[in-house]
Amino acid sequence: MAFTDVDIGAPAPASATQGVPQTPPESPTKMQAQATRGFSDSISHRRTASRNSLMIPSHKKQDSWTSIDSTMSITIPSPTSNSHNTIEVPAMRSPDADASKYMHILSKPPSEKERRLSRNSFGSSLPIPRSKRQSRLSSVTFPEVQEALRTVGQPTAMLGDVHPNREILASQVQDMQAGKVKAAKNMAFVFDIDGVLVHGDRLIPEGKMVLDMLNGDNELGIKIPHIFLTNGSGKPELPRCQQLSHILHNPVSTDQFIQSHTPMRALAEYYNTVLVVGGEGYRCRDVAEEYGFKDIVVPNDIVAWDTTVAPYRVFTEEERASSRPRDFTQCNIDAILVFSDSRDYATDMQIIMDLLRSENGRYGTVAKDPVSQRIPIYFSQGDMLCPTEHPIPRMSQGAFRIGLEAMYKALTGVDLERVVYGKPETATYKYADEVIASWMDTIHGEERIPENVYMIGDNPASDIVGGNMYGWNTCLVRTGVFQGGENDEENPANFGVFKNVLEAVKAACRKQLGDDFKFSWDDRVNPVLHGKASAVE
């Protein structure tokens, strides 16, 4: 579904508001409260063939909303199954949708003020999964993660095999300090990963310290809820969690882990044949297969069918043997899904441009109308830069997207309509709500969202913007993309800027649990002394 090109924050067109009751929409706070009761009663925007009025947040004022006319130039189809299992979260038109501004300054990112809303340019909704975590990810990873950690010599006590005496003591301490326990269960942390906990495959030492404490190495011996929300991507959730467990020396479960493309599994109910782009080798095909997509094409399949598609590509016999070529002039590709950063810009851009300009995704054709016959394209995230082991952040998927937009505009004369998931898109944060509530149920038997959620990130344009808009407490760290002064000028963190993730978590815990809260467990603890250590041996 496509938005008309309107000015966000401006008065709605008459056609959009005609006949619409002048009742103010529910506030974002109330919408977030709905999520705590589960998503069964959440926003569900049913598609129709008629023109719909869509309520979206205005960047002029965070609690104001603008109704826009969603006349469709690109349609998002109904789910292919009769009973779909998705939630459709409203998407928003962004001021940076027009690619023309980048035609001569492709290396210059848009003003952060212009990125306070979604980067999406079509679609009345972004589908996200509705079902419980266990049914949509491979499985709980603790057995695999425990085995992975044992291979690096991690003591079994850190794997959850805590000595019975420790469990008994922690239970007694928690009984004696019910107030602190209640406060600990009423807070949660959401961590970005790259630039906060790790640099590529290299551990940031404070990251391990933080996870040790949140996993029970604290004065209460209690697990403090936390999840991982990253714009990273490119491999299935299970091996990524195993990799992180090795690096962080702490168990990371798929049930507390969200990659940029994790919510995109919902699109499997909407499209049959999809082109999946990005990532190393064929890992993104593996991701799509795990998500339930029925017919998956990757760029190598097309090159194997016709090597002239990519004239500058050296296509090896090994790549040919692992490809799945077919006659692509005899099938239609329904949608393009960019799951991860491209490893071959020239080939991927050429194939994407061919399909965007084709007649309804039929390779080898060129549409007379570049809009009505164009298939949709989805990006898993829109970050311009990504922190890596290199001292200067590297270009990420957002740079690839801008290049495509500019080329499409140059070739067709019209803007490329596209959808972007990931931070700071609202759909990603609503999905995070569900994951937090489910993880709370796993560790504490309470399926709810704590009142005090802290987002800790290094990228003001995604981590901080998204958290601020969603009403979370935001903490900006100086170990990744942000290397600025007191705070980011365009997207300031509302809880503060910190040297590293440990300092941010300590500040949040002191606010919620008191200045005297201790960030380590003492085996000499005596519950009779209300959690204080005893000097008696």
Side-chain angles (χ1 to χ4, degrees), residues 446-475:
E446 303 174 16
E447 190 171 1
R448 64 180 179 86
I449 303 171
E451 293 180 6
N452 305 296
V453 179
Y454 290 83
M455 173 79 224
I456 302 182
D458 68 300
N459 191 337
S462 57
D463 304 322
I464 304 306
V465 168
N468 286 345
M469 288 197 302
Y470 205 58
W472 288 351
N473 302 294
T474 52
C475 308

Side-chain angles (χ1 to χ4, degrees), residues 411-450:
L411 290 171
T412 67
V414 297
D415 291 324
L416 175 63
E417 304 268 343
R418 75 284 188 277
V419 166
V420 185
Y421 277 78
K423 297 174 289 186
E425 173 57 43
T426 304
T428 294
Y429 288 82
K430 286 189 175 294
Y431 185 76
D433 267 352
E434 184 187 1
V435 175
I436 292 171
S438 180
W439 188 244
M440 274 287 293
D441 186 36
T442 298
I443 64 175
H444 292 308
E446 303 174 16
E447 190 171 1
R448 64 180 179 86
I449 303 171

Side-chain angles (χ1 to χ4, degrees), residues 451-508:
E451 293 180 6
N452 305 296
V453 179
Y454 290 83
M455 173 79 224
I456 302 182
D458 68 300
N459 191 337
S462 57
D463 304 322
I464 304 306
V465 168
N468 286 345
M469 288 197 302
Y470 205 58
W472 288 351
N473 302 294
T474 52
C475 308
L476 185 58
V477 296
R478 291 190 173 93
T479 50
V481 170
F482 179 73
Q483 299 290 331
E486 294 299 315
N487 208 331
D488 185 72
E489 294 182 1
E490 302 293 345
N491 304 299
N494 60 46
F495 189 68
V497 179
F498 301 89
K499 179 181 178 181
N500 55 54
V501 63
L502 182 61
E503 296 302 316
V505 169
K506 283 185 174 181

